[in-house]
Amino acid sequence: MSEPVLQTSGLTKRFGALLATDAVSIDLRAGEIHAIIGPNGAGKSTLIEQICGGVRPDAGRVLLMKKDISALGRHARARAGLGRTFQISALAMEDSVLENVVLGAIGAGAGPWHFWRSALASETLTDRARSALSRVGLMDRHDRICATLSHGQRRMLEVAVALTLLPRVFVMDEPMAGLGADGSKLMTAFLDDLRHEAPILLVEHDMDAVFTLADRISVMVHGKVIATGTSAEIRMNRLVREAYLGDLA
């Protein structure tokens, strides 16, 4: 088995009396999709925030390519190779589709950019952004204002922004949220192909997508990982069925 590309070790976070994550240790390996599932309030979003630098853990470490990135902030982790999409859209709705993706390219660049006009004049950044838009099927909408896009198009735009970071790892928080059946099928097919570029840590409530895509699944309940295994192993796990899946398995 290959070495982990992304790894957490004992991540723990308390909010007052609430233990949001309880010594969570998971890993992500090259070429795989590792899904994190569980009921609302299980600690999945807190775990993602700790991995991506939005929440500082009380204990534990995050390693990317064997390097401890626990002390880095969000932007530094993005530059180190964490490409993230959000449960709730983080796009700039008043800007164009291309401008949104160039913003992602700026985050990956080595030099500071103080004005949009300077950034948009950079062939390197705009070429990277246009390439990402082509891959997600949005190049023909590059000059549209983001607010005019459909929900599904915005989800794909978020993926394009993440692509500009040339990530070592994708961290995706409910990419299927709000998509209809057709949109979910398109996103599922896209992610299935994307894993070969960089592995994906996936938080998702769409169990059809999870069982179709995931090489491994970890189940969180009350801040703890209660099981990790293949789709078949998770479906058969009695604790998982009682705590979360029920008849869905």
Side-chain angles (χ1 to χ4, degrees):
M1 185 176 291
S2 61
E3 290 292 322
V5 179
L6 177 69
Q7 188 174 16
T8 73
S9 176
L11 284 185
T12 301
K13 184 63 183 180
R14 287 185 178 274
F15 296 104
L18 174 66
L19 186 57
T21 54
D22 186 0
V24 175
S25 297
I26 60 171
D27 63 67
L28 178 67
R29 298 173 185 274
E32 81 165 344
I33 295 178
H34 188 158
I36 311 295
I37 66 173
N40 291 331
K44 304 184 298 297
S45 292
T46 300
L47 174 63
I48 294 301
E49 285 293 329
Q50 289 175 93
I51 291 172
C52 294
V55 171
R56 185 173 296 276
D58 298 323
R61 300 188 303 159
V62 179
L63 284 78
L64 179 64
M65 305 297 292
K66 297 184 179 182
K67 179 181 178 181
D68 191 339
I69 62 171
S70 305
L72 300 181
R74 285 182 179 176
H75 297 299
R77 294 189 197 199
R79 288 191 293 272
L82 280 181
R84 182 180 181 185
T85 67
F86 293 84
Q87 179 183 17
I88 299 173
S89 180
L91 300 169
M93 293 298 173
E94 71 281 6
D95 291 325
S96 74
V97 168
L98 181 62
E99 287 171 338
N100 269 274
V101 186
V102 169
L103 178 61
I106 292 171
W113 293 94
H114 301 291
F115 300 100
W116 268 114
R117 192 172 303 277
S118 297
L120 291 170
S122 166
E123 289 188 10
T124 300
L125 295 182
T126 55
D127 286 350
R128 187 185 301 171
R130 290 175 184 275
S131 174
L133 286 173
S134 294
R135 291 187 59 186
V136 302
L138 290 176
M139 190 55 214
D140 61 342
R141 293 169 172 82
H142 74 278
D143 57 349
R144 293 193 182 183
I145 298 301
C146 181
T148 67
L149 298 182
S150 69
H151 179 76
Q153 289 168 341
R154 291 175 192 172
R155 300 305 273 181
M156 295 307 294
L157 179 56
E158 290 181 352
V159 175
V161 172
L163 284 169
T164 64
L165 298 173
L166 308 177
R168 302 290 187 92
V169 169
F170 290 100
V171 180
M172 298 193 172
D173 195 355
E174 297 191 35
M176 311 293 175
L179 300 181
D182 290 342
S184 292
K185 288 180 182 178
L186 288 172
M187 181 68 81
T188 297
F190 185 83
L191 298 185
D192 197 25
D193 183 62
L194 188 63
R195 77 170 82 206
H196 302 296
E197 179 172 330
I200 302 170
L201 186 67
L202 175 69
V203 172
E204 186 53 64
H205 283 291
D206 184 333
M207 289 299 100
D208 288 339
V210 167
F211 286 130
T212 296
L213 288 169
D215 300 286
R216 287 186 295 155
I217 301 171
S218 291
V219 185
M220 289 187 68
V221 177
H222 301 309
K224 292 183 68 72
V225 173
I226 64 169
T228 295
T230 65
S231 294
E233 291 167 341
I234 293 301
R235 285 180 186 271
M236 296 173 60
N237 188 293
R238 179 180 59 82
L239 287 177
V240 173
R241 293 175 68 99
E242 291 175 355
Y244 182 53
L245 287 182
D247 293 337
L248 293 175

